[in-house]
Amino acid sequence: MPVFLSVAMLEPFVPPSLRLALSEPVVFRGRGGQRRGVDAILLPEICEAWLKARDAGVLQPQQYRIAEKADILKRTLAHVGITALVDEATGYQEVRDRHELHRILEAYIAKELLPWTKRFPEEFFRQLFRLRGWQYSPVSVKRPKAVGRIMSELIYEKLPDGVIEELGRRNPVVSDDGRRRHRHHRFLTDEVGHPHLDKHIASVTALMRASSSWQGFKRLFDRAFPPPVGQEELPGILEQVDEAGGNSQVG
């Protein structure tokens, strides 16, 4: 048994399931080399053993301080995820976040530039132009300059955290008018990135179709896809978009 449960008076309060789990320790690499630990999800049961022993009155006076800490810890675990609490205490949270971001980017960003295919349907632009009061022509490839920024705000920035930053790194602006060498979607994976993109475009198009004004659409959009805490909502951002004419290349 681990040292924190090897006290003789605790033995009757350690259930067989916990005893079995603790008999197979987790081996990990620590500062002093290879070490042995226990799975964090066992913490509530370990605390419970101390609390049962305290309630039974079998602890020594100096051991009540340990039971008190076990009580505090168990109450905390009722409100905070066990793994998150341990990651925070050990400083692993930042490492975990980096690993999570790496997994997201591997799933969404293709290793090689994919061939060009049309991903934004004409209905998306038709509804966007209607709400903005612009004249729409399906045969024209020219778009108002604001279209690129709006597409970024509505679509690409709503992909998982880190994806739009990686797209910007892979596909940087190459001209003074904001043009990029490729369409962003050519850097997304067929397995995860494109299906998510297509689904989101369809959702945004449906919101635009259901709106009679740009302001009404923005309210629906912010309700359906709220910005992260601390970021400005869509209405404040898009009102600042430059609507000067010109070509746009984001989608």
Side-chain angles (χ1 to χ4, degrees):
M1 296 290 289
V3 63
F4 48 79
L5 282 179
S6 59
V7 183
M9 61 276 295
L10 288 179
E11 186 171 348
F13 306 100
V14 180
S17 59
L18 177 58
R19 192 179 300 275
L20 177 62
L22 292 174
S23 69
E24 300 176 352
V26 178
V27 179
F28 66 98
R29 187 174 66 248
R31 292 179 179 177
Q34 192 175 82
R35 304 184 65 179
R36 294 154 68 88
V38 301
D39 196 321
I41 63 175
L42 299 177
L43 280 174
E45 291 187 72
I46 294 171
C47 293
E48 185 66 20
W50 276 96
L51 296 179
K52 287 182 177 179
R54 179 197 63 182
D55 295 342
V58 299
L59 296 180
Q60 299 295 325
Q62 66 272 20
Q63 293 171 332
Y64 275 90
R65 290 181 301 172
I66 301 177
E68 182 180 357
K69 293 179 180 179
D71 192 9
I72 295 172
L73 183 57
K74 188 172 182 183
R75 291 173 186 270
T76 303
L77 294 177
H79 300 283
V80 181
I82 297 172
T83 303
L85 184 68
V86 173
D87 287 350
E88 180 72 24
T90 59
Y92 184 71
Q93 183 174 357
E94 293 184 4
V95 178
R96 184 195 64 203
D97 291 344
R98 288 198 300 271
H99 287 174
E100 183 64 24
L101 175 60
H102 180 70
R103 285 194 293 270
I104 290 174
L105 294 182
E106 276 196 333
Y108 274 82
I109 306 297
K111 291 182 171 60
E112 297 179 357
L113 185 68
L114 299 182
W116 184 89
T117 56
K118 186 177 179 61
R119 302 228 66 96
F120 282 76
E122 287 301 322
E123 181 66 8
F124 173 87
F125 294 108
R126 184 179 292 108
Q127 295 300 328
L128 174 60
F129 277 50
R130 175 180 66 84
L131 294 175
R132 297 298 293 180
W134 297 329
Q135 184 176 0
Y136 175 73
S137 173
V139 298
S140 174
V141 297
K142 282 191 173 184
R143 316 277 192 201
K145 191 174 182 180
V147 170
R149 182 57 183 161
I150 291 175
M151 290 170 66
S152 179
E153 297 282 355
L154 297 182
I155 306 299
Y156 289 105
E157 293 183 21
K158 293 303 179 180
L159 295 177
D161 289 344
V163 173
I164 184 63
E165 289 80 7
E166 182 65 12
L167 288 174
R169 188 183 71 81
R170 295 278 193 96
N171 191 31
V173 173
V174 294
S175 65
D176 294 338
D177 61 357
R179 291 178 61 85
R180 300 176 189 272
R181 192 177 303 278
H182 305 287
R183 308 286 184 174
H184 268 348
H185 65 74
R186 294 183 63 187
F187 293 86
L188 298 177
T189 59
D190 280 332
E191 298 80 7
V192 178
H194 283 157
H196 188 170
L197 180 73
D198 293 344
K199 182 179 179 181
H200 185 62
I201 292 173
S203 298
V204 173
T205 303
L207 291 178
M208 289 194 292
R209 191 184 297 116
S211 304
S212 58
S213 68
W214 182 245
Q215 289 71 25
F217 162 72
K218 288 186 292 186
R219 287 192 292 270
L220 290 178
F221 183 89
D222 284 328
R223 192 177 307 140
F225 306 102
V229 176
Q231 287 191 9
E232 188 177 6
E233 292 187 351
L234 184 63
I237 296 175
L238 291 187
E239 289 304 327
Q240 301 171 15
V241 172
D242 178 15
E243 298 186 10
N247 291 331
S248 169
Q249 187 173 8
V250 172

Short mmCIF file of all heavy atoms in Angstrom, two decimals, residues 200-239:
data_model
loop_
_atom_site.label_atom_id
_atom_site.label_comp_id
_atom_site.label_asym_id
_atom_site.label_seq_id
_atom_site.Cartn_x
_atom_site.Cartn_y
_atom_site.Cartn_z
N HIS A 200 -20.30 24.26 -41.03
CA HIS A 200 -20.41 25.61 -40.47
C HIS A 200 -20.90 26.60 -41.53
O HIS A 200 -21.74 27.46 -41.24
CB HIS A 200 -19.06 26.06 -39.93
CG HIS A 200 -19.10 27.39 -39.23
ND1 HIS A 200 -19.86 27.62 -38.11
CD2 HIS A 200 -18.51 28.58 -39.53
CE1 HIS A 200 -19.73 28.88 -37.73
NE2 HIS A 200 -18.91 29.48 -38.58
N ILE A 201 -20.40 26.47 -42.77
CA ILE A 201 -20.88 27.34 -43.85
C ILE A 201 -22.38 27.17 -44.03
O ILE A 201 -23.13 28.15 -44.20
CB ILE A 201 -20.14 27.03 -45.16
CG1 ILE A 201 -18.66 27.44 -45.05
CG2 ILE A 201 -20.79 27.75 -46.34
CD1 ILE A 201 -17.81 27.01 -46.23
N ALA A 202 -22.85 25.91 -44.01
CA ALA A 202 -24.28 25.65 -44.17
C ALA A 202 -25.09 26.29 -43.04
O ALA A 202 -26.17 26.85 -43.28
CB ALA A 202 -24.52 24.15 -44.22
N SER A 203 -24.57 26.23 -41.80
CA SER A 203 -25.27 26.82 -40.67
C SER A 203 -25.36 28.34 -40.79
O SER A 203 -26.41 28.94 -40.55
CB SER A 203 -24.56 26.45 -39.36
OG SER A 203 -24.55 25.05 -39.16
N VAL A 204 -24.25 28.96 -41.18
CA VAL A 204 -24.23 30.42 -41.32
C VAL A 204 -25.14 30.85 -42.47
O VAL A 204 -25.87 31.85 -42.37
CB VAL A 204 -22.79 30.92 -41.55
CG1 VAL A 204 -22.79 32.41 -41.87
CG2 VAL A 204 -21.94 30.65 -40.32
N THR A 205 -25.13 30.10 -43.57
CA THR A 205 -26.00 30.41 -44.70
C THR A 205 -27.46 30.35 -44.29
O THR A 205 -28.28 31.19 -44.70
CB THR A 205 -25.73 29.44 -45.87
OG1 THR A 205 -24.35 29.50 -46.23
CG2 THR A 205 -26.58 29.80 -47.08
N ALA A 206 -27.82 29.34 -43.49
CA ALA A 206 -29.20 29.22 -43.02
C ALA A 206 -29.59 30.41 -42.15
O ALA A 206 -30.72 30.92 -42.25
CB ALA A 206 -29.36 27.92 -42.23
N LEU A 207 -28.68 30.89 -41.30
CA LEU A 207 -28.97 32.07 -40.48
C LEU A 207 -29.16 33.31 -41.35
O LEU A 207 -30.05 34.13 -41.09
CB LEU A 207 -27.83 32.30 -39.48
CG LEU A 207 -27.67 31.28 -38.35
CD1 LEU A 207 -26.47 31.63 -37.48
CD2 LEU A 207 -28.93 31.20 -37.49
N MET A 208 -28.35 33.44 -42.38
CA MET A 208 -28.49 34.59 -43.27
C MET A 208 -29.82 34.52 -44.03
O MET A 208 -30.51 35.53 -44.20
CB MET A 208 -27.32 34.65 -44.25
CG MET A 208 -26.00 35.05 -43.61
SD MET A 208 -24.70 35.53 -44.79
CE MET A 208 -24.36 33.95 -45.56
N ARG A 209 -30.18 33.33 -44.48
CA ARG A 209 -31.43 33.16 -45.22
C ARG A 209 -32.63 33.51 -44.35
O ARG A 209 -33.66 34.01 -44.84
CB ARG A 209 -31.53 31.73 -45.73
CG ARG A 209 -32.68 31.51 -46.73
CD ARG A 209 -32.80 30.05 -47.13
NE ARG A 209 -31.59 29.59 -47.81
CZ ARG A 209 -30.79 28.64 -47.34
NH1 ARG A 209 -31.07 28.05 -46.19
NH2 ARG A 209 -29.73 28.28 -48.02
N ALA A 210 -32.52 33.27 -43.05
CA ALA A 210 -33.63 33.53 -42.14
C ALA A 210 -33.68 34.97 -41.66
O ALA A 210 -34.59 35.35 -40.92
CB ALA A 210 -33.54 32.59 -40.93
N SER A 211 -32.72 35.79 -42.08
CA SER A 211 -32.63 37.17 -41.60
C SER A 211 -33.11 38.14 -42.67
O SER A 211 -32.87 37.94 -43.86
CB SER A 211 -31.19 37.50 -41.19
OG SER A 211 -30.71 36.58 -40.22
N SER A 212 -33.74 39.20 -42.22
CA SER A 212 -34.22 40.23 -43.15
C SER A 212 -33.30 41.44 -43.19
O SER A 212 -33.47 42.32 -44.03
CB SER A 212 -35.63 40.68 -42.75
OG SER A 212 -35.63 41.19 -41.42
N SER A 213 -32.33 41.48 -42.28
CA SER A 213 -31.38 42.60 -42.26
C SER A 213 -30.05 42.11 -41.73
O SER A 213 -29.95 41.07 -41.07
CB SER A 213 -31.90 43.73 -41.36
OG SER A 213 -31.90 43.32 -39.99
N TRP A 214 -28.99 42.88 -42.02
CA TRP A 214 -27.65 42.52 -41.54
C TRP A 214 -27.59 42.57 -40.01
O TRP A 214 -26.97 41.72 -39.38
CB TRP A 214 -26.64 43.48 -42.15
CG TRP A 214 -25.21 43.21 -41.76
CD1 TRP A 214 -24.39 44.01 -41.03
CD2 TRP A 214 -24.43 42.05 -42.10
NE1 TRP A 214 -23.16 43.44 -40.88
CE2 TRP A 214 -23.16 42.23 -41.54
CE3 TRP A 214 -24.70 40.89 -42.82
CZ2 TRP A 214 -22.14 41.28 -41.67
CZ3 TRP A 214 -23.69 39.94 -42.97
CH2 TRP A 214 -22.43 40.14 -42.39
N GLN A 215 -28.24 43.56 -39.42
CA GLN A 215 -28.25 43.67 -37.97
C GLN A 215 -28.96 42.47 -37.34
O GLN A 215 -28.51 41.93 -36.32
CB GLN A 215 -28.92 44.97 -37.53
CG GLN A 215 -28.13 46.24 -37.82
CD GLN A 215 -28.09 46.56 -39.31
OE1 GLN A 215 -28.98 46.16 -40.07
NE2 GLN A 215 -27.05 47.29 -39.73
N GLY A 216 -30.08 42.04 -37.95
CA GLY A 216 -30.78 40.88 -37.43
C GLY A 216 -29.95 39.62 -37.54
O GLY A 216 -29.94 38.78 -36.63
N PHE A 217 -29.23 39.47 -38.66
CA PHE A 217 -28.35 38.32 -38.82
C PHE A 217 -27.25 38.31 -37.78
O PHE A 217 -26.93 37.27 -37.19
CB PHE A 217 -27.74 38.31 -40.22
CG PHE A 217 -26.52 37.43 -40.32
CD1 PHE A 217 -26.64 36.05 -40.30
CD2 PHE A 217 -25.25 37.99 -40.43
CE1 PHE A 217 -25.52 35.24 -40.37
CE2 PHE A 217 -24.13 37.19 -40.50
CZ PHE A 217 -24.26 35.81 -40.47
N LYS A 218 -26.67 39.47 -37.50
CA LYS A 218 -25.58 39.54 -36.54
C LYS A 218 -26.04 39.11 -35.15
O LYS A 218 -25.32 38.45 -34.41
CB LYS A 218 -24.99 40.95 -36.51
CG LYS A 218 -24.18 41.28 -37.77
CD LYS A 218 -23.48 42.63 -37.65
CE LYS A 218 -24.47 43.76 -37.66
NZ LYS A 218 -23.79 45.08 -37.68
N ARG A 219 -27.28 39.48 -34.81
CA ARG A 219 -27.81 39.06 -33.51
C ARG A 219 -27.98 37.54 -33.45
O ARG A 219 -27.64 36.91 -32.45
CB ARG A 219 -29.14 39.77 -33.23
CG ARG A 219 -28.99 41.25 -32.88
CD ARG A 219 -30.29 41.81 -32.33
NE ARG A 219 -31.32 41.86 -33.36
CZ ARG A 219 -31.54 42.89 -34.16
NH1 ARG A 219 -30.77 43.97 -34.07
NH2 ARG A 219 -32.51 42.86 -35.05
N LEU A 220 -28.50 36.97 -34.52
CA LEU A 220 -28.65 35.52 -34.58
C LEU A 220 -27.29 34.82 -34.54
O LEU A 220 -27.12 33.80 -33.85
CB LEU A 220 -29.40 35.11 -35.85
CG LEU A 220 -30.89 35.46 -35.94
CD1 LEU A 220 -31.44 35.04 -37.29
CD2 LEU A 220 -31.66 34.77 -34.81
N PHE A 221 -26.33 35.37 -35.27
CA PHE A 221 -25.00 34.75 -35.34
C PHE A 221 -24.32 34.75 -33.98
O PHE A 221 -23.76 33.74 -33.55
CB PHE A 221 -24.15 35.50 -36.37
CG PHE A 221 -22.79 34.89 -36.56
CD1 PHE A 221 -22.59 33.90 -37.50
CD2 PHE A 221 -21.70 35.33 -35.81
CE1 PHE A 221 -21.33 33.33 -37.67
CE2 PHE A 221 -20.45 34.77 -35.98
CZ PHE A 221 -20.26 33.77 -36.92
N ASP A 222 -24.37 35.89 -33.29
CA ASP A 222 -23.71 35.97 -31.98
C ASP A 222 -24.40 35.09 -30.95
O ASP A 222 -23.76 34.63 -29.99
CB ASP A 222 -23.70 37.42 -31.49
CG ASP A 222 -22.65 38.26 -32.22
OD1 ASP A 222 -21.60 37.70 -32.59
OD2 ASP A 222 -22.88 39.46 -32.43
N ARG A 223 -25.69 34.84 -31.14
CA ARG A 223 -26.39 33.95 -30.24
C ARG A 223 -26.03 32.49 -30.52
O ARG A 223 -25.86 31.68 -29.62
CB ARG A 223 -27.91 34.15 -30.37
CG ARG A 223 -28.73 33.48 -29.28
CD ARG A 223 -30.20 33.79 -29.44
NE ARG A 223 -30.43 35.23 -29.53
CZ ARG A 223 -31.29 35.79 -30.35
NH1 ARG A 223 -32.02 35.05 -31.17
NH2 ARG A 223 -31.44 37.10 -30.35
N ALA A 224 -25.87 32.16 -31.81
CA ALA A 224 -25.55 30.78 -32.19
C ALA A 224 -24.07 30.46 -31.98
O ALA A 224 -23.71 29.35 -31.62
CB ALA A 224 -25.93 30.55 -33.65
N PHE A 225 -23.20 31.46 -32.20
CA PHE A 225 -21.75 31.26 -32.08
C PHE A 225 -21.17 32.38 -31.24
O PHE A 225 -20.51 33.29 -31.76
CB PHE A 225 -21.11 31.24 -33.48
CG PHE A 225 -21.72 30.26 -34.42
CD1 PHE A 225 -22.60 30.70 -35.41
CD2 PHE A 225 -21.45 28.91 -34.32
CE1 PHE A 225 -23.18 29.80 -36.29
CE2 PHE A 225 -22.02 28.00 -35.19
CZ PHE A 225 -22.90 28.44 -36.17
N PRO A 226 -21.41 32.36 -29.93
CA PRO A 226 -20.95 33.45 -29.06
C PRO A 226 -19.43 33.55 -29.06
O PRO A 226 -18.74 32.52 -29.09
CB PRO A 226 -21.48 33.05 -27.68
CG PRO A 226 -21.70 31.58 -27.75
CD PRO A 226 -22.08 31.29 -29.17
N PRO A 227 -18.90 34.77 -29.04
CA PRO A 227 -17.45 34.94 -29.00
C PRO A 227 -16.91 34.55 -27.63
O PRO A 227 -17.64 34.56 -26.64
CB PRO A 227 -17.27 36.45 -29.25
CG PRO A 227 -18.54 37.05 -28.74
CD PRO A 227 -19.62 36.05 -29.03
N PRO A 228 -15.62 34.18 -27.55
CA PRO A 228 -15.02 33.87 -26.25
C PRO A 228 -15.14 35.04 -25.30
O PRO A 228 -15.21 36.20 -25.72
CB PRO A 228 -13.55 33.58 -26.60
CG PRO A 228 -13.57 33.21 -28.05
CD PRO A 228 -14.68 34.01 -28.66
N VAL A 229 -15.14 34.74 -24.02
CA VAL A 229 -15.25 35.79 -23.01
C VAL A 229 -14.09 36.77 -23.16
O VAL A 229 -12.94 36.39 -23.29
CB VAL A 229 -15.22 35.18 -21.59
CG1 VAL A 229 -15.25 36.28 -20.53
CG2 VAL A 229 -16.40 34.23 -21.41
N GLY A 230 -14.43 38.06 -23.17
CA GLY A 230 -13.41 39.09 -23.29
C GLY A 230 -13.20 39.59 -24.70
O GLY A 230 -12.52 40.58 -24.92
N GLN A 231 -13.79 38.89 -25.70
CA GLN A 231 -13.65 39.35 -27.07
C GLN A 231 -14.88 40.14 -27.48
O GLN A 231 -15.98 39.88 -27.02
CB GLN A 231 -13.48 38.16 -28.02
CG GLN A 231 -12.12 37.50 -27.92
CD GLN A 231 -11.90 36.51 -29.06
OE1 GLN A 231 -12.69 36.43 -29.98
NE2 GLN A 231 -10.83 35.75 -28.97
N GLU A 232 -14.67 41.07 -28.40
CA GLU A 232 -15.75 41.91 -28.88
C GLU A 232 -16.70 41.08 -29.73
O GLU A 232 -16.27 40.19 -30.47
CB GLU A 232 -15.20 43.06 -29.71
CG GLU A 232 -16.24 44.09 -30.10
CD GLU A 232 -15.61 45.23 -30.85
OE1 GLU A 232 -14.41 45.14 -31.15
OE2 GLU A 232 -16.30 46.21 -31.15
N GLU A 233 -17.99 41.33 -29.62
CA GLU A 233 -18.95 40.59 -30.41
C GLU A 233 -18.90 41.03 -31.87
O GLU A 233 -18.38 42.08 -32.23
CB GLU A 233 -20.37 40.78 -29.85
CG GLU A 233 -20.55 40.14 -28.49
CD GLU A 233 -22.00 40.19 -28.04
OE1 GLU A 233 -22.79 40.88 -28.70
OE2 GLU A 233 -22.32 39.54 -27.04
N LEU A 234 -19.49 40.21 -32.72
CA LEU A 234 -19.45 40.43 -34.16
C LEU A 234 -19.95 41.80 -34.60
O LEU A 234 -19.32 42.41 -35.46
CB LEU A 234 -20.26 39.32 -34.85
CG LEU A 234 -20.27 39.32 -36.37
CD1 LEU A 234 -18.86 39.09 -36.88
CD2 LEU A 234 -21.19 38.25 -36.89
N PRO A 235 -21.06 42.32 -34.06
CA PRO A 235 -21.52 43.62 -34.54
C PRO A 235 -20.46 44.71 -34.46
O PRO A 235 -20.30 45.51 -35.37
CB PRO A 235 -22.70 43.93 -33.63
CG PRO A 235 -23.21 42.60 -33.22
CD PRO A 235 -21.98 41.75 -33.08
N GLY A 236 -19.72 44.76 -33.35
CA GLY A 236 -18.71 45.79 -33.19
C GLY A 236 -17.55 45.63 -34.14
O GLY A 236 -16.93 46.59 -34.56
N ILE A 237 -17.24 44.39 -34.49
CA ILE A 237 -16.10 44.15 -35.37
C ILE A 237 -16.45 44.46 -36.81
O ILE A 237 -15.76 45.20 -37.49
CB ILE A 237 -15.66 42.68 -35.26
CG1 ILE A 237 -15.15 42.40 -33.83
CG2 ILE A 237 -14.57 42.36 -36.25
CD1 ILE A 237 -14.80 40.96 -33.58
N LEU A 238 -17.55 43.89 -37.28
CA LEU A 238 -17.85 44.00 -38.70
C LEU A 238 -18.28 45.38 -39.12
O LEU A 238 -18.24 45.71 -40.30
CB LEU A 238 -18.92 42.97 -39.08
CG LEU A 238 -18.44 41.52 -39.02
CD1 LEU A 238 -19.51 40.60 -39.59
CD2 LEU A 238 -17.15 41.34 -39.81
N GLU A 239 -18.72 46.21 -38.18
CA GLU A 239 -19.07 47.57 -38.55
C GLU A 239 -17.84 48.35 -38.95
O GLU A 239 -17.91 49.39 -39.60
CB GLU A 239 -19.79 48.27 -37.39
CG GLU A 239 -21.20 47.74 -37.14
CD GLU A 239 -22.08 47.82 -38.38
OE1 GLU A 239 -21.91 48.76 -39.18
OE2 GLU A 239 -22.94 46.94 -38.55
#
